[in-house]
Structures are given as structure tokens and as C-alpha cells.
Amino acid sequence: MQRRIIIVGTSGSGKSTLGREISKKLGIPSIELDTLFWQPNWVRSPLEVFIEKIDKLTNQKSWVIDGNYSQVRHITFTKGDTLIWLDYPFYLIFYRAFKRSLCRIFKKEKLWGTNYETLSRFFSKNSILVWVIQTHRKRKKTYTRIINQGEYSNLHVIRLKSPKETKELLKNMEKNVVL
């Protein structure tokens, strides 16, 4: 059976984690957009290269993809069959991003190839916390508009407003109730 699932939500909401869990449960490839976008030393991939990679990967029979890149939405949303929106409250996402970043800094955990979060980046305008502040409300407006306009009527939309709802979705997946 073909499955093409897109997971969106503000940074820190748990998109990649959910994508990996769904990938395991359904036995389908997981595609993390950040991994394809970010090159070493936080250099952005050229747009044409990024689009080409996404177009090729989404030609597979099944996949779960996570990320918010509007530059490839015309590909992912058109080819997808299910949209999972992690629409968690700001305070929760901010807390998660703060905690996750500090853990990554002190564990020197690699991100997307050879990139690392550092204390200097954490306290800069490029901080994930600044990004969460700048994008949370904007993402909520964007995804609400997209869903309400019905432009992507091919997508079955699942809007999850809490980690509890996400756990319930995963539990139901085990029972083949959802998706």
C-alpha cells in the first residue's frame, strides 16, 4: 500500500522524531528536509539542487517527510496523501527547543551532516529560539490558511495539538486504526 505522509510544525515540535517513528511502524523511508537542505558550516543548499533532490525522493512509492520548506511545498503537498500538523502551544515548543539545544551543545551532537549547535549560535540571531519566536505564529497562520483554502484536497489532514494526541495517533497506527 502506498503511503506518502508529510509532517509539519514549528521547529522543536518533534517533526523528525515523529517521522522516524512512523517510518519504523510503517516500514517506509523517512526523509528529513533539514538534512537535505543544510550543508557543512550551516551553508544552505542551492535551491535548484534542493528541489531536484526532493522531487526525486518523493517519486518513491511511499515515504514520510518532515519539514516546513515552502520552496518544495508544491512538490511534497501535491504528491502526499496525508498531512500531519504538529500544532503545539508556543510555550511547549519553546521549552523543547531550549532543552534540546542545550543538550546538543553540551553533548556536541552532530546535526545534518557536520553542523553543530554552539553556545555562540545559541545566543545569536541564528538561534533556534529566535527562529521559534519568529515562526510559530506565522506557521499557524500559513497551515490554517492552506487547510481552509482546500488547495491540497488530496491531503487527509491530521492536526495534533498536544504530545498526548501524537502518542494516541502512534498507538492507533499500531492497531491500523489511523492512516
Side-chain angles (χ1 to χ4, degrees), residues 67-131:
N68 295 298
Y69 291 85
S70 59
Q71 305 95 319
V72 294
R73 190 178 298 144
H74 66 284
I75 299 169
T76 58
F77 279 38
T78 302
K79 293 181 180 181
D81 57 54
T82 303
L83 176 69
I84 300 173
W85 176 16
L86 299 179
D87 184 21
Y88 296 168
F90 174 79
Y91 72 88
L92 177 62
I93 290 172
F94 189 85
Y95 170 75
R96 284 179 160 191
F98 180 83
K99 183 179 160 188
R100 180 184 73 181
S101 292
L102 287 180
C103 287
R104 286 179 174 166
I105 290 166
F106 291 110
K107 290 180 179 179
K108 298 188 186 316
E109 184 180 325
K110 269 189 200 179
L111 283 171
W112 313 308
T114 60
N115 295 313
Y116 293 89
E117 289 190 61
T118 61
L119 276 176
S120 60
R121 188 173 181 84
F122 184 78
F123 289 109
S124 77
K125 65 180 177 144
N126 294 318
S127 167
I128 191 69
L129 301 180
V130 172
W131 186 249

Side-chain angles (χ1 to χ4, degrees), residues 3-60:
R3 295 304 341 206
R4 292 179 166 187
I5 303 164
I6 305 148
I7 304 170
V8 297
T10 303
S11 299
S13 60
K15 297 178 302 295
S16 298
T17 300
L18 181 59
R20 286 188 296 272
E21 290 180 36
I22 290 173
S23 171
K24 273 189 234 171
K25 287 184 185 305
L26 299 181
I28 62 176
S30 176
I31 303 166
E32 184 180 7
L33 293 181
D34 282 332
T35 300
L36 300 171
F37 184 76
W38 290 108
Q39 296 180 34
N41 300 312
W42 298 102
V43 173
R44 299 166 185 247
S45 288
L47 185 56
E48 317 77 55
V49 173
F50 184 55
I51 289 172
E52 187 178 312
K53 286 179 188 176
I54 302 308
D55 193 36
K56 183 178 179 183
L57 287 168
T58 55
N59 282 331
Q60 299 176 78

